[in-house]
Amino acid sequence: MDATFSVDAWSAFAAGLDDDAGWREWAGAPWLPVGDAMPALAEMAPMQRRRVERLGRAALQVAWRCQGDAHGMPMVFASRHGDLDRTHRMLAELARDAPLSPTQFGLSTHNAIAAQYSIARGLAGDYLAVSAVRATPEAAVTEALGLLADGAPAVLVVVYDDAMPGDYDDFLDEPGALHAWAWRVVPPTEGLPRLSLRAGEPAAAGALPHSLEVLRFFLAGDAALPGADGGGWFRHA
């Protein structure tokens, strides 16, 4: 399988960052996004939008913008923790011996955000939901490369996560912040930057979640995003 690819469209959202120019400026001098901002997600019908909390809104907003009107492409939704805020509230209810809502449980599963997007847009194509600890963005791109190798002309990759509830502070191995980004991954294309993916481990945590480091690398045009062994993990080929 060829591990080289191009990205022909992208979109991203975080608190204080909601347009391409702002994101490119951020990539040159990155900071950890903080705040409770949520995208409007005006494209989604209000009754459906009510079922989607802030992480889902961020993920669906960037997916909608990046996919545009193109239908039929497979999708890979990727989140290290998923909608943990919702899950955490349900665990608290269990601790109080309160009954769980079947609806809330259904919306907390790892593929629920992808399913809501598929339903809202009337999409009948393939989608995957993946999670791989800090290497979740790399796992998503690996799945996309497999789909390209199987003949898909493009794959929508959506990566999203949020800060974890405070009860999990003792287990954190990287900073947390609400963010979402999407790439439309295509085979290596003339006129577009070429990226490659190399096997390895992500470098030690820094000031950003690893998934935001991947986006920063992409927007800044760095030669490589170093891995734990000092070699490249993502590279501009």
Side-chain angles (χ1 to χ4, degrees):
M1 183 177 72
D2 187 359
T4 304
F5 62 97
S6 293
V7 174
D8 73 350
W10 68 275
S11 179
F13 175 85
L17 293 163
D18 197 24
D19 62 74
D20 292 3
W23 276 107
R24 293 192 184 280
E25 182 178 353
W26 170 89
W31 40 270
L32 184 69
V34 176
D36 297 323
M38 286 194 302
L41 193 56
E43 299 89 340
M44 196 173 192
M47 287 298 290
Q48 292 175 307
R49 194 167 58 234
R50 287 178 56 194
R51 298 164 62 87
V52 184
E53 299 194 344
R54 74 178 206 149
L55 177 63
R57 284 199 183 199
L60 270 55
Q61 185 69 84
V62 299
W64 225 297
R65 290 173 180 170
C66 191
Q67 183 174 3
D69 294 330
H71 279 232
M73 72 177 71
M75 304 178 294
V76 182
F77 279 70
S79 178
R80 176 175 183 178
H81 301 295
D83 199 346
L84 190 58
D85 234 16
R86 197 189 296 264
T87 304
H88 183 255
R89 290 200 304 272
M90 289 192 299
L91 290 172
E93 290 169 359
L94 280 175
R96 296 193 302 269
D97 292 326
L100 289 183
S101 161
T103 298
Q104 291 301 312
F105 176 77
L107 293 172
S108 73
T109 60
H110 214 73
N111 68 326
I113 288 173
Q116 290 298 305
Y117 181 71
S118 179
I119 292 167
R121 299 210 63 177
L123 304 176
D126 296 337
Y127 72 81
L128 303 170
V130 302
S131 178
V133 200
R134 290 184 62 235
T136 292
E138 289 78 6
V141 171
T142 299
E143 294 288 352
L145 292 173
L147 290 162
L148 293 179
D150 277 346
V155 180
L156 182 68
V157 171
V158 187
V159 177
Y160 50 100
D161 253 309
D162 200 351
M164 296 177 69
D167 286 345
Y168 297 96
D169 284 350
D170 289 345
F171 305 99
L172 298 181
D173 61 1
E174 64 177 359
L178 175 67
H179 64 281
W181 53 264
W183 289 349
R184 199 161 64 199
V185 175
V186 296
T189 302
E190 189 74 28
L192 293 175
R194 295 188 176 204
L195 294 91
S196 65
L197 184 61
R198 174 182 176 273
E201 294 291 333
L208 299 172
H210 177 65
S211 49
L212 270 180
E213 281 285 8
V214 172
L215 180 64
R216 186 211 57 76
F217 148 81
F218 168 71
L219 294 177
D222 292 353
L225 179 62
D229 61 358
W233 182 234
F234 275 108
R235 288 179 177 271
H236 277 93

